[in-house]
Amino acid sequence: QKEVEQNSGPLSVPEGAIASLNCTYSDRGSQSFFWYRQYSGKSPELIMSIYSNGDKEDGRFTAQLNKASQYVSLLIRDSQPSDSATYLCAVTGGNQFYFGTGTSLTVIP
Amino acid sequence: GAGVSQSPSNKVTEKGKDVELRCDPISGHTALYWYRQSLGQGLEFLIYFQGNSAPDKSGLPSDRFSAERTGGSVSTLTIQRTQQEDSAVYLCASSQPSVNEQFFGPGTRLTVL
């Protein structure tokens, strides 16, 4: 079983809709959770971090963490074509840092 | 301040040659990571440095790969006797010691002919 699992997609949503990206992880001792956005041909860019159960909002982005169920999600409200990218979930506990393989999101104008 | 920088941005080499890839982390970031990303794939962890501690080399795929970090700052990833399967983008990231948020450099695209 992989440490971090994501649906590879592709996920397509119309412009203005809510995009929902999900990630599950296997290590119950994981402490920190991150979402990165990666445009084609570019390096990953940190967009959200979350450390405790519940929701964390930053602009159009909301990260949700449920440690009991071992999942973390990212909601993108009012999706824009510029949000089209691959979204990587990352989980860490101590020195180990695990990335999922990413979910490809396409926002259709 | 400046972000993570990597050089060269692109490297084309012949099979069997050695290559060195350089990473200059964000000033003050004591943690430094190397990853490899093949086309359309996720990030593959290679090695992790934290301050003066012994590096975590558990992700290095073979003994042809090595890395060092001088003075707790700049790091060099060396690949000896390159193979075609080494072709990938090599990404470096750094983070502050108490915060695990990693910031990535632009990467080095390595092509082994």
Side-chain angles (χ1 to χ4, degrees), chain A residues 18-22 35 48 55-56 58-64 73-77 79:
Chain A
I18 295 175
S20 178
L21 305 166
N22 299 308
W35 284 99
M48 288 287 287
D55 294 0
K56 179 181 178 182
D58 183 0
R60 296 186 296 110
F61 299 95
T62 299
Q64 300 174 318
S73 62
L74 179 69
L75 301 179
I76 306 174
R77 291 182 299 281
S79 295

Side-chain angles (χ1 to χ4, degrees), chain B residues 64-94:
Chain B
R64 296 186 296 105
F65 289 73
S66 63
E68 63 177 20
R69 189 177 185 191
T70 55
S73 180
V74 172
S75 177
T76 302
L77 176 68
T78 301
I79 308 173
Q80 296 179 310
R81 305 181 302 281
T82 52
Q83 303 294 312
Q84 289 183 330
E85 60 263 29
D86 299 334
S87 296
V89 175
Y90 289 80
L91 291 161
C92 174
S94 70

Side-chain angles (χ1 to χ4, degrees), chain B residues 9-108:
Chain B
S9 55
N10 281 284
K11 177 70 176 179
V12 180
T13 190
E14 294 178 347
K15 178 181 174 181
K17 300 285 189 181
D18 297 352
V19 295
E20 285 190 351
L21 312 179
R22 175 189 169 106
C23 172
D24 200 342
I26 293 171
S27 178
H29 282 197
T30 59
L32 187 149
Y33 303 77
W34 282 99
Y35 296 90
R36 177 169 71 175
Q37 188 172 37
S38 300
L39 188 62
Q41 301 299 310
L43 294 174
E44 176 187 4
F45 166 76
L46 296 177
I47 189 168
Y48 161 68
F49 295 90
Q50 173 58 275
N52 295 321
S53 301
D56 178 351
K57 304 179 182 180
S58 60
L60 294 178
S62 78
D63 59 6
R64 296 186 296 105
F65 289 73
S66 63
E68 63 177 20
R69 189 177 185 191
T70 55
S73 180
V74 172
S75 177
T76 302
L77 176 68
T78 301
I79 308 173
Q80 296 179 310
R81 305 181 302 281
T82 52
Q83 303 294 312
Q84 289 183 330
E85 60 263 29
D86 299 334
S87 296
V89 175
Y90 289 80
L91 291 161
C92 174
S94 70
S95 68
Q96 294 179 354
S98 58
V99 180
N100 283 327
E101 297 175 352
Q102 294 187 18
F103 295 88
F104 284 83
T108 294

